[in-house]
Amino acid sequence: MAAIAIETSNLHKTYRGGGREVHAVRGISLSVREGEAFGLLGPNGAGKSTTFGMLTTRVQPTSGSMRVAGADPVADPVSVKRRIGAVTQHNTLDRQLTALENLEFRGRFAGLSVRTARQRGQELLERFGLGDRGDAMVHRLSGGQAQRVMIARALLTRPAVLFLDEPTSGLDPQTRVNLWEMLREMHAEGQTILLTTHYLEEAEALCERITVVDHGRTLASGSLEELTSLKGGDSVVSVVHEPGTSLMNVLEPVRRIPGVSRTEADDATLRVFTDRLHGVVPAVLRASLDAGLLVLDVSVRRPSLETVFLALTGREYRE
């Protein structure tokens, strides 16, 4: 069993001001093994970035305990900072410096010699496909290039844990996929990674284990296979009827079919959620035919992280 790189117990963060209290994190407990790629997944406002801030020493918890790379972020923040690399959502590169100088300065702050910091910085820029951009000022970098420079900067001191807060937010699809590949390579080499994200496909692509959080609480945690086996990780049977068809007469019979957890009607499409498929698909079709409806298409979608995520966090819009 690998050693534990990150561990939190009953972590809370409450912001107070103006006579109000905002409970951003309400008892989150995590355990991340060394060498693991771990995802903190949740909608906007779920408490992901606040948890990220506490783990990386930038936010003081209200209560609870933490250990990161063997040190306590509250009692010994300097030791934690020396052992981690962190990339926040926003561009924090020094705009008065070139890409390479941003890396060099980080190395010098960490105690590396000028020569070692420069050599290591150039090696990382090469690795991230930016070998020819070392002399470019930060404001001349694209969003994807700046994100790669920030990750390179975080890796300069060979951190025990790499923290990434929404690492591909705002990037175009091509840049996102390329960045995923770079992160996979680092993980394959043994880098411990914790990332926060609200992109389901990002969590699926990069993370061995995922914790789903919302409203500051842990809702579920496990591997992708474990999460999709949870209650709510249902298969979805979609039945498309002739345009303009009313589904009122078929909804109640379908809801009575054993194994059906819920139904949704969208125009002429009926979606049936079930924890079993055997016997349910023909029963749903029979209900449509008995109601005199014309069925144009039937499809089945197996349990996915998306179905689990929506079952846990709901479908309402988040700001």
Side-chain angles (χ1 to χ4, degrees), residues 201-279:
E201 66 273 25
E202 185 158 89
E204 289 179 314
L206 298 176
C207 301
E208 294 171 90
R209 288 193 303 133
I210 299 164
T211 287
V212 181
V213 297
D214 197 14
H215 301 298
R217 294 188 173 94
T218 299
L219 302 182
S221 188
S223 66
L224 183 60
E225 292 74 18
E226 290 168 337
L227 289 175
T228 54
S229 68
L230 294 174
K231 182 69 175 176
D234 293 334
S235 296
V236 183
V237 181
S238 297
V239 183
V240 180
H241 301 85
E242 188 176 25
T245 299
S246 172
L247 301 178
M248 294 298 296
N249 293 333
V250 77
L251 287 175
E252 191 56 38
V254 167
R255 288 169 181 154
R256 292 198 298 266
I257 297 172
V260 171
S261 58
R262 62 191 176 92
T263 61
E264 291 181 357
D266 181 13
D267 294 329
T269 299
L270 173 65
R271 280 185 290 275
V272 180
F273 296 78
T274 177
D275 59 5
R276 70 185 83 165
L277 287 175
H278 182 70

Side-chain angles (χ1 to χ4, degrees), residues 18-33:
R20 297 177 61 244
E21 288 189 348
V22 177
H23 301 283
V25 174
R26 311 180 188 214
I28 288 180
S29 296
L30 303 172
S31 181
V32 180
R33 296 184 290 265

Side-chain angles (χ1 to χ4, degrees), residues 26-225:
R26 311 180 188 214
I28 288 180
S29 296
L30 303 172
S31 181
V32 180
R33 296 184 290 265
E34 287 185 359
E36 185 172 33
F38 190 95
L40 202 57
L41 174 67
N44 293 332
K48 305 185 301 297
S49 292
T50 300
T51 302
F52 180 98
M54 288 188 284
L55 291 171
T56 56
T57 78
R58 294 185 300 107
V59 176
Q60 288 288 306
T62 303
S63 62
S65 62
M66 300 178 286
R67 298 287 292 180
V68 176
D72 186 330
V74 176
D76 193 2
V78 174
S79 291
V80 171
K81 289 177 182 178
R82 287 173 176 167
R83 300 173 192 179
I84 69 171
V87 180
T88 60
Q89 292 184 36
H90 307 292
N91 188 335
T92 59
L93 297 173
D94 191 322
R95 295 176 63 85
Q96 303 302 313
L97 303 176
T98 66
L100 180 56
E101 287 170 343
N102 267 275
L103 273 62
E104 284 186 68
F105 274 53
R106 173 58 59 86
R108 296 292 289 131
F109 285 141
L112 301 181
S113 67
V114 174
R115 180 179 178 181
T116 301
R118 186 173 186 83
Q119 180 180 0
R120 176 74 174 146
Q122 189 61 48
E123 288 173 355
L124 285 165
L125 288 179
E126 293 284 351
R127 176 173 183 176
F128 282 86
L130 296 167
D132 61 343
R133 302 295 285 160
D135 292 332
M137 300 301 292
V138 168
H139 69 274
R140 295 193 177 276
L141 300 176
S142 68
Q145 290 172 335
Q147 190 75 347
R148 281 180 280 163
V149 172
M150 286 195 291
I151 295 175
R153 184 181 62 178
L155 292 170
L156 193 84
T157 55
R158 296 185 171 90
V161 183
L162 175 64
F163 288 90
L164 303 167
D165 192 14
E166 302 279 3
T168 63
S169 180
L171 299 183
D172 61 78
Q174 292 83 358
T175 302
R176 179 177 296 134
V177 170
N178 288 332
L179 186 54
W180 287 354
E181 188 57 39
M182 293 173 187
L183 294 175
R184 287 194 196 98
E185 290 175 4
M186 287 188 286
H187 175 231
E189 293 169 359
Q191 178 68 59
T192 305
I193 299 172
L194 183 143
L195 67 89
T196 73
T197 185
H198 62 269
Y199 293 128
L200 298 172
E201 66 273 25
E202 185 158 89
E204 289 179 314
L206 298 176
C207 301
E208 294 171 90
R209 288 193 303 133
I210 299 164
T211 287
V212 181
V213 297
D214 197 14
H215 301 298
R217 294 188 173 94
T218 299
L219 302 182
S221 188
S223 66
L224 183 60
E225 292 74 18

